[in-house]
Amino acid sequence: MTTLITKTITKICIPLVILFSISLLLAGHNNPGGGFIGGVMFASVISLTYVVFGLKYIKSFFNPSWDKWFGFGLLLSSLTAFGAIVYGYNFFRSSIKFVEIPLYGEIELVSAALFDIGVYFVVIGTLLYIFKNVGEDE
Amino acid sequence: MNIQEHLPILLVATPILMSALMIMLRSRPTFQKTLNIIVSASLLLMSIILLLQVWNSGIQVYEVGEWGKYGIMLVADLLGSGMVVLSSGISLLALIYSLDYIEGKSLNTTYHSLFNLLVAGLNGTFLTGDIFNMFVFFEILLLSSCGLVVASENGGVTKISDKMEATFKYLILNIIGSMLMLVAVASLYATVGTLNMADLSVKISALSDAGTLPWHIYFIALLFLIVFGNKAAIFPLHYWLPDVHPTAPSPISAMLSGVMIKVGAYGILRVYFLVFKDALFLLQPIIILLALITIAIGAIAAVGQKDVKRLLAYSSVSQIGYVFLGIGMGTAYALTASLVYLVNHAIAKSMLFLTSGGIIHHAGTRDMHQMGGMVKSAPLMSSMFLIGAMSIAGLPPLGGFIAKFVLFDAAMLGEYYLPLLIGFAFAVFTIFYMFRAWLLMFWGETRDSDKYGPYSSHGLSPMITVPIIILAAAVLILGVYSEPLIALSSEIANQLLDPQPYINAVLGGSVR
Amino acid sequence: MDSFTAIILAIFLPFAAAIFIPLLEKFLKHRIGWFAAGIAFLSFALIGIVAPEIIHGHIIQHSIEWMPSIGAEFSIYADGLAMMIGFIASGIGVIIISYSNGYMSHKEDLPRYYQYLLLFMGSMIGMVFAGNTLQLFIFWELTSITSFMLIGYWRGKPASIYGATKSLLLTAGGGLFMLAGFILLHTITGSYDIATILQNPAIIENIKAHPFFLITLILILIGAAAKSAQGPFYIWLPNAMEAPTPVSAFLHSATMVKAGIYLVARVHPIFSGTEAWFILVSGIGIFTMLLAGFLAFRQTDIKAILAYSTISQLAYMMTMYGYTSYHEPGLGVAAATFHLLNHATFKACLFLVAGIVAHEAATRDIRKLGGLRKDMPITFIIASIAALAMAGIPPLNGFLSKEMFYETSVEMGHIIGGPFTFLIPAAAVLGGVFTFAYSIKLIDGIFLGEKHHDHLPEHIHEPPYTMLIPAAFLAGLVILFGLVPSIPIHNIIEPTTAGIILEEVHLHVKLWHGLTPAFFMTLITFIAGLGIYTRYDKIAAWQDRFNARYPRISVNYYYDRIVDGAKGSAKGFANFTQPGNVKTYIYAILLLMVILFAIPAFMMATQVFPANLNFDIPLYEALIMTLMVSAAIAAATLHRYLAAVIALSTVGYLVSLVFIYLKAPDLALTQVLVETLSTIIFLLVIAKIPQTFKEKIPKTTLARDIVISSAVAATVLVLLLNATQGIVSPFESLSYYFLENSVPLAGGHNIVNVILVDFRGYDTLGEISVLCLAALGVYNLIHSRGEGE
Amino acid sequence: MNNITVIQDILSNFFFFAGMFFVFLGMLGLYRLPDVYNRLHATTKIGTLGAFGVMMGIVIKLGFGPMGIKAITVGLFLLLTAPVAAHMISRAAHRHGVGLCEESTVDDYGKTYCLINSSCPVKHEETIEDEHDQM
Amino acid sequence: MNTLNLLDIALVFMVLSIIPCIHRIIKGPTIPDRVIAVDALATVIVVMLGVYSFVQESVFFMDVALVLSIIAFVGTVTISKYLDEGVVF
Amino acid sequence: MNNTILSITIALIFGIGTFLMLRRDIVKVIIGLSLISHAVNLLIVSTGVFDGEKAPIISNGHHDSSSGIIFTDKLSDGIFAPIVPSGMEVHFVDPLVQALVLTAIVISLATTAFILILAYRIHEEYGTTDIRKLRRLRG
Amino acid sequence: MKRYVLYSIALGFVWCFVHGVVSLSNFLIGAMIGPFLIRPFKELYSLGEEISYREKLNRIPKQIHYFSILIVEIVKASIVVAKIVLQPKIDIRPGIIAVPIRAKTDVGITAIANTITLTPGTLTIDVSDDRTALYVHCIDIDNAKEIRDSIKDDLEEYVLEAFE
Ligand code: NA
Ligand code: NA
């Protein structure tokens, strides 16, 4: 087992890194980042908790089926791409909308962002699925 | 929306979507199975419609994301859509077969997703018009096949350690191939500034015409020979095949031997005759040489096998050599022959692998020396294997005969006498090893039941027999009446030799 | 019904019937054989319908479109030759199938038996009426395959399997050579159509003048010889005797083995009249005739004697078809054709008798048989008629055709002149002598002499009529054709000969010709034959000693050596080429890469290195690169996994540093992330793999590996130096488009990301599929324990 | 250019160079100091300070714009995690038997730890200090 | 002092700092030494990224720096635990 | 960056990776593969066609600030590539190769993960990491 | 519940910082999504335990004070080590000593441990199993007693004030 020092710092890191990963995901279209990078950040912080607290312990209260995560991600990404067909365009045709949000200001909604979110989930799901499967394996 | 316009992308994206859905549907196996069969069947239907569309109204181009050549384009010409029909057909049958053949747990967890992605990989490769995209789909093919090879089968005749070993070799060798493909693609981009194959074709031709084609383009072309040769398992890149194809579960062996190795041949046809047609003079002798060695090595090694699936695998090596022989000769007729050969081998070999699955199911072993006299206990498997064996051996009235005949005829007309001679000599080998296998398994003394345990008494379910019978019927029909296939192949050959319509279809309307 | 339809029906009726036999067997039980016989008779009758037209000199030709893309048609070419063999196939078919009803036990797998018999018959008829060479080949191979199936009818017996395999390899393999010959013929003439070739003297002239003439002829003859068990290919026929006796009678004496002879006759107009033709065809014939005649002696199994005899008799025909010379086109053709017909009658009859004997006496060993004349007198008479016909005793049909053989041999000897004037007739006589001797031996051994009661059952009866009548019918034909030769001559032999030599012929065959050379040769034959027969046992014993001492003087010895050797050495070969060590395989790829690089590099040696390489290298770049390479070397040389993995991830971090330097923030990000994750996966794995193995690299291996790695590195370097010279003018990169349009069209400022999710989002879809695949694959890997044998 | 910018410039440049110099010193310490533990002193203290200094330089120069904010984040994060990383490494090293250098005088940890935890996995030096790892 | 000079100086400093890291990674002598060295290397790269970001006036490299500092921490903790306990999770 | 030195480095790493791939220890082989994939990634980036000095992220301006040239590269007009307005200067490095490398990196991560787990399972089945012992499948 | 609010506020700031723009809207976003992110990990965060806002608020100035002391100490520490590094011949007497601590909570122990690491010449290696002592590596151990005292008197005080 690791020490309480590490555990304490890890506790601080968890929300920080997850927030950062979301930030990277959303910033991706205009800044470095995007689904893959955000997803890996997320996965790495979960893997950090696995390392620091032990996989068994974490599983006792936090045990999502990661396969569903990457399944969902792939579904979301491909559905986004399919969406264009429904609207009469070619597969993967992107669309951009600018929406005014009170308090925040104008934000840009791109279909590609939805796709990137799918990527995000795929990355998280696959990496953690692999980690969990191998980690559990005796 | 006009769904027909979207057929090319639907053929690729639907299986990807399905794969995702199958992961989400893990808890509902029956629904999974039914849905997957329905989807596979509709993919087959779609592919046939696409082929007819292409046949009737010319090459179809689909701009993914509507970015023209700056994005990725799918191009359905006769070759691509024809290959898609072939792969969709075989994969539908392999899938039906799998439902009874693959062990339940494996089937309900990962199998459907992996299988769908394999199909997506195949269709994607056959339809893409972008060389880097082809790399991506090659990777999909590679990893999906690896995942499927280690899937468990009912009865489990193959040791898991053998599967691992085979997969490891397969993976290592193919990763090297992938790396070289990346090197080649990147160098190509650095030299002519595009990834679209039609665009590449135009530019390389223009350079060649102007006499400013840099020499390393030739080396890049040769690198692609390694890339595609690796997929197709031609000498000396064939080593993984005799290990992987036998250890995979039989429906997957059928997919691998039936369709996957054809991806290599497809790649050569597509890339060489479209992009590197100016380097063909250099490539063709090399291809012929390698093809002949491949034919010989596969045939000789097949004679010495006692594992039925390993024998079939070596036979695939040898047979793909014949396909490459046609490609190497490069005349319209030879290409036709090569394509006819490819289709016939695909159907017959996948049928043989499916049959071998039934046989193994029945006998409980892959070792032919431990089988014998099974003609009485498994008459259907006996006749099915015989049909496949005869077709591979090139005996009439089966498809394989037409294929060999056309190929030899092409070799003769092209005055490739030495290749012809070698091809003929090993055709006799083929008869020998295929019939030897059949005799060992089905004739002779019935196996001593004390020593090895009895043959499985329960019959094979229709899920297993029906796909085999359908393929056998196809083999027979191709032997008796091959005209549509030959006509299609010769049209494909013409398209390959004159890529201008392809280029026009891709670039002509490319304005945004 | 028009003739074309009749022939089509004659061909395909047996096929159709064969398909329905398993179904009908449910109702007809063992009577299914009579149904099959009925089908055979229908085919016979259908040929009979078209016979008058052919006998009147008309050739029935008709084609329908089949596979136009490769120039394949389905066509019928029915001339006298086709008609004769068609009659034999269907006629003997009726007789044999009827006989089978008595011969085959009801416990046998009857549907399969009759199915194959009908399939064979259909194929045989299809072959003879084939209007083009492609079609001929298809049916030809079908006969090989059905023959294979019938030889192996008793599938459990090793001898059956051996015989079946041998026949298949030789006949079907030979067929492939024939196909090659046909393809060559097509190359020369541009046609597969038999009629087109035969009816165009210009084309035939062209063939004869063509450089491929000889090779084409040889290829086609290989097919013919293999099928007719001629030359070294004879070895399959004796082993084919493992088939049920009716099958031997039908396929391996009367019909299928005649296919080779048919082929020789069919291509006769194309190739005959040349020296090559005579030397090859007659040469094979004479050699085989003598060899097989001689070998027939030492056989003790009556079916084996008949088999060798068949080989020898077929060789007669071969020899005669080869005789045709410039001076005398068609010489020997009529004689050969007549002998073909006669042989079909008496040899089939003898086989049926052999079947009867085996059936009743439960043995085929001539040493155990004897004195059966009292127990089965009718069979004795039938057998004697057939055997005497084979021996060439007048007034039976065998006498007539053998007389013709002698005559033509003498003529041929004269035509060639020199020592051949005597040698050719002498060879013919020697063949006749052997034939005479073993024919007598056959009758003597089975029916005459004392009955060996210790080997034979007490009561031996005549067989049932279903077996006796077919044999008797054939014996009747033997006598009929001998006494009234004009019936076969005018109705069959003349049209057939016309079909072969492509001109009208009129033959006069009589029992008594006067004191011709042939008469004296016949006399010599009888006397010498009797002489040999009296020393029969001694000769056979000498042969056995000879074989025991020189086992290598035997084609079978080499066949077995080749087949067994092929299996053995193939295993060794596979072990050699596929040694299982993955390093070998990797070597192969790398070597191929280097060789493929060398080819264009040597061809265009002057351009290999780009002219303007930039050697203006900033110090820190050089330093970073040096460090990176050092880390890589550390990864390669550190022994402990963990140390090597750390070195590897160092390389990764430095790569990301380079990415930063190359202004690629996304890449740098991804690189560090991926690097760390791979390190974690490495750790996961090496945590489970204790590091016990330490490779000690031998010096030679080290040197070899370094050489190959350096070669690969050099290859990559040269390619890269060339590739990074920039885009060849006048082209520009696609990237301009992305730079210019990311913001306005895709609404993203990070162009790399826009390319990933938009311009080339399809790639990314594939990429995430790959990730999913890895996860699914890992699941399969982990959850697949303890499987397999 | 007004005074404030000049001061900003000077300050930020000072921080830059001081930071980089400290980083360099830290790495020099990594090179020169004996044993793992002493090297850790160098990297965690001087290295982290150097990095923090450079980040401060950015903040001073650019203010609390996105880059400044991120620079602060990076600096703080390093400050937060560097000691933990040092702790983890040194703990692992010690528990796995990486001895202190010759000059060391006292090792309370080694004694106590082994007294408390009889099952401790210490003292198989060969597993971690492997002569094969020498280049 | 213009920004270009700053970059050059920074590059020199960084390269000089990386050399000892690589030395430790290669020479060890123990695994923890190597782990420290990699961690230190990450710090150096973070600093480098800061400078680069400043010079290029682009915030992007700062993102990389943050990611790198986080991920380097994760990596170090993971390796340390592995070293200590012989398991990862 | 200087192309020559980069190319040499890439080639050297490629060669070292190749050397490692020829080793007998399965983990070493995989390390070799990873090295090669590093080399290949660098190679792809090095084939980028512009020598710009900025990361390909357009930082200035709003979404409608850039005009967006509509390229007319119709084959029928004999034009094979985007027409670059004369005097257009590319300040950015080539974004396309970066995107390609990203894809390649991710794919090689997936492959490496798979092959590593495979190595673990092989060790479990065969009890060794020596790939010469992986010779059950031969002949 | 109170903890949620607290975390929410903290994560609002964290979001602003990782996002690079400190603004009200960003803060609100972070504050809104933050708690959802740690919800699954509630086991780790003892979200149920009650706390008082005022106490937390009172600590803020002390924490700021602590950080300023810390920075100064780090600079001192760096200079100390830098001197050692730059010595022509390195002359040190390192060693590991046990340092008893008074802090009880996880945060407190962590803070003191990290502080020790970042201050001159010392580096925390481990916490004793009974959480009463830290094992500290000192680069120059000539006066172990003095080191113990300085930790106890100077650093620990601030830490206890700020975090316990
Ligand atoms: Na991105
Ligand atoms: Na990506």
Side-chain angles (χ1 to χ4, degrees), chain A residues 36, chain C residues 756 764 767, chain F residues 99 102-103 106:
Chain A
F36 180 79
Chain C
L756 277 177
T764 309
E767 168 200 315
Chain F
L102 278 176
T103 306
V106 177

Side-chain angles (χ1 to χ4, degrees), chain G residues 104-148:
Chain G
K104 293 283 177 290
T105 60
D106 287 359
V107 178
I109 295 171
T110 308
I112 184 90
N114 283 6
T115 313
I116 287 170
T117 303
L118 289 171
T119 48
T122 51
L123 182 130
T124 312
I125 289 184
D126 202 356
V127 191
S128 71
D129 286 2
D130 55 5
R131 298 160 58 124
T132 56
L134 298 177
Y135 296 102
V136 176
H137 182 270
C138 305
I139 203 163
D140 227 333
I141 203 149
D142 281 349
N143 37 8
K145 173 91 172 55
E146 195 180 303
I147 293 170
R148 283 202 185 92

Side-chain angles (χ1 to χ4, degrees), chain C residues 275-356:
Chain C
E275 257 173 57
W277 174 262
F278 167 70
I279 293 171
L280 287 171
V281 180
S282 296
I284 294 171
I286 291 172
F287 167 76
T288 314
M289 171 178 76
L290 297 179
L291 178 73
F294 183 63
L295 287 176
F297 272 115
R298 59 180 285 261
Q299 307 304 321
T300 51
D301 181 340
I302 46 181
K303 274 184 84 176
I305 297 173
L306 290 175
Y308 280 103
S309 136
T310 303
I311 297 168
S312 163
Q313 300 291 314
L314 291 170
Y316 280 19
M317 301 163 210
M318 232 16 185
T319 313
M320 286 187 271
Y321 278 127
Y323 279 167
T324 302
S325 73
Y326 291 109
H327 310 275
E328 192 95 21
L331 175 70
V333 170
T337 310
F338 193 31
H339 195 64
L340 194 156
L341 179 67
N342 295 338
H343 178 254
T345 55
F346 63 69
K347 188 53 66 62
C349 179
L350 279 174
F351 265 108
L352 295 190
V353 168
I356 291 170

Side-chain angles (χ1 to χ4, degrees), chain B residues 69-70 132 135-136 139 142-143 146-147 150 159-169 171-172 175-176 179-180 182-187 189-191 193 195 199 202-203 206 242-244 247 301 305 310 314 366 500 503-504 507-512, chain F residues 14 21 26 29-30 33 36-38 40-41 43-44 46-50 69-76 79-83 94 96-97 99-101 103-104 107-108 110-112 114-115 117-119 121-122 125-126 131 133-139:
Chain B
K69 74 171 184 183
Y70 303 104
F132 186 80
F135 161 78
V136 173
E139 296 304 299
L142 177 61
L143 274 185
C146 283
V150 293
K159 277 190 208 146
I160 192 69
S161 58
D162 287 355
K163 293 187 177 203
M164 306 268 169
E165 182 182 332
T167 312
F168 179 73
K169 290 173 179 174
L171 205 49
I172 282 280
I175 289 174
I176 299 173
M179 296 293 164
L180 294 182
L182 277 177
V183 170
V185 169
S187 312
Y189 171 72
T191 312
L195 296 167
D199 208 12
V202 171
K203 290 181 175 174
D243 293 346
V244 174
T247 44
Q305 300 304 316
R310 205 169 168 82
Y314 271 116
R366 279 168 30 196
Q500 203 55 46
I503 293 166
N504 288 341
L507 299 179
S510 168
V511 186
R512 250 192 77 104
Chain F
F14 206 104
M21 224 164 44
I26 200 165
V29 173
I30 298 173
L33 280 179
I36 290 184
S37 97
H38 284 320
V40 169
N41 293 339
L43 182 145
I44 300 175
S46 79
T47 57
V49 292
F50 309 135
I69 296 170
I70 306 298
F71 291 111
T72 53
D73 58 332
K74 277 176 87 171
L75 184 67
S76 47
I79 302 164
F80 300 133
I83 299 178
D94 192 341
L96 182 57
V97 285
L100 301 186
V101 174
T103 306
I107 286 176
S108 84
T111 325
T112 310
F114 185 86
I115 200 168
I117 313 301
L118 183 61
R121 290 285 289 116
I122 282 175
E125 299 283 342
Y126 284 77
I131 53 170
K133 299 277 156 57
L134 261 68
R135 292 179 75 183
R136 285 195 199 149
L137 302 176
R138 57 196 293 259

Side-chain angles (χ1 to χ4, degrees), chain A residues 28-29 31-37 116, chain C residues 666 670 750 752-753 756-757, chain F residues 102:
Chain A
H29 217 48
N31 285 303
F36 180 79
I37 292 165
D116 230 10
Chain C
D666 281 276
T670 311
N750 181 353
V752 175
N753 189 269
L756 277 177
V757 298
Chain F
L102 278 176

